[in-house]
Amino acid sequence: MRIDVVVPAHDEQDRIGACLAALDVAVARLAEARPDVSVGVTVVLDGCTDDTAAVVDRHRVQVVVTDHVGVGRARSLGVANALTAPDTLLTEHWLAHTDADSRVDPDWLVQQARALVEDAHVLVGAVVPDPADLAPEVLVRWRTAHPPGAALGHVHGANLGVRADAYLALGGFDPVPEHEDVRLVERARALGLRVRATTDLPVVTSGRFAGRTPGGYAEHLRQTYAP
């Protein structure tokens, strides 16, 4: 079995270091828990004009460089690179997705591997905003709306897994500037694929109000919780 992690990045020099450091820990944890599962990480440098590439170069990952094509196309390019892994059956190949401004839990890849073993087609995970990015009153509003144990109820590219054969059957990510994750999961549910959702091991993502897409998580936070 194999897991490939895909991380699109557009001008994330200040955050991608923490993202990849968290993935390093998750890769090590997976090696301990599931030595039968190989793993790779692909970062897609999506038209970066800052020092993102220099930060990425400090980590042992594969890199795809492209003009600024947007997150949907960038994810697709990362998956295309991942699918070149040799000697891996599509039904035993899992594509895990997160974002460059996010930090996965140490056991995140173990969770993704469990979904593969348990024959899921798609795993929809939760995200939480980084408390350090939020003003105190905004953090209070968010926590009031999300008490412990509450279902978060959204689809996030920062915490998403798809089995490779299902990904191809669904036609992959749409080449759109946002909501490519939502559209993929909607198609999976419409086709009756095994879509599982979990709030365990949420991914910590940026709590900024100005994001890299016009209507992504950052805009959701601004519209919902800003003063």
Side-chain angles (χ1 to χ4, degrees), residues 4 19 34 43 81 98 107 120 141 145 171 200:
D4 273 285
C19 167
R34 296 298 307 256
V43 176
N81 180 76
T98 191
D107 285 319
R141 291 190 191 98
D200 294 336

Side-chain angles (χ1 to χ4, degrees), residues 20-224:
L20 295 180
L23 281 171
D24 287 343
V25 173
V27 168
R29 188 70 62 90
L30 178 66
E32 295 174 359
R34 296 298 307 256
D36 57 321
V37 181
S38 62
V39 63
V41 178
T42 297
V43 176
V44 181
L45 298 175
D46 182 24
C48 293
T49 60
D50 62 358
D51 288 331
T52 299
V55 178
V56 171
D57 193 49
R58 301 170 196 157
H59 296 263
R60 299 177 65 180
V61 299
Q62 298 184 60
V63 176
V64 174
V65 180
T66 181
D67 294 334
H68 190 198
V69 294
V71 65
R73 181 68 178 139
R75 287 197 202 280
S76 296
L77 292 171
V79 171
N81 180 76
L83 290 177
T84 63
D87 303 323
T88 304
L89 295 174
L90 292 175
T91 54
E92 296 183 351
H93 195 173
W94 189 260
L95 304 166
H97 299 272
T98 191
D99 286 338
D101 65 339
S102 303
R103 304 190 306 275
V104 303
D105 186 272
D107 285 319
W108 184 69
L109 285 174
V110 176
Q111 181 189 63
Q112 300 288 318
R114 187 179 306 119
L116 175 58
V117 170
E118 293 176 353
D119 208 27
H121 288 125
V122 179
L123 181 66
V124 178
V127 304
V128 296
D130 189 340
D133 291 338
L134 302 180
E137 65 274 17
V138 175
L139 183 58
V140 167
R141 291 190 191 98
W142 190 89
R143 286 177 170 167
T144 300
H146 301 87
L152 300 185
H154 298 285
V155 174
H156 303 281
N159 192 355
L160 182 67
V162 187
R163 206 169 75 183
D165 61 327
Y167 173 85
L168 294 174
L170 293 167
F173 290 110
D174 292 338
V176 291
E178 60 188 13
H179 306 317
E180 76 295 336
D181 43 8
V182 175
R183 293 162 71 136
L184 186 80
V185 173
E186 285 177 345
R187 290 200 299 276
R189 286 175 170 149
L191 290 175
L193 299 188
R194 291 182 292 276
V195 179
R196 298 184 180 177
T198 180
T199 57
D200 294 336
L201 309 184
V203 168
V204 178
T205 197
S206 166
R208 61 192 176 193
F209 285 170
R212 297 297 182 263
T213 62
Y217 189 65
E219 182 63 13
H220 165 71
L221 285 177
R222 189 189 68 79
Q223 290 188 3
T224 309

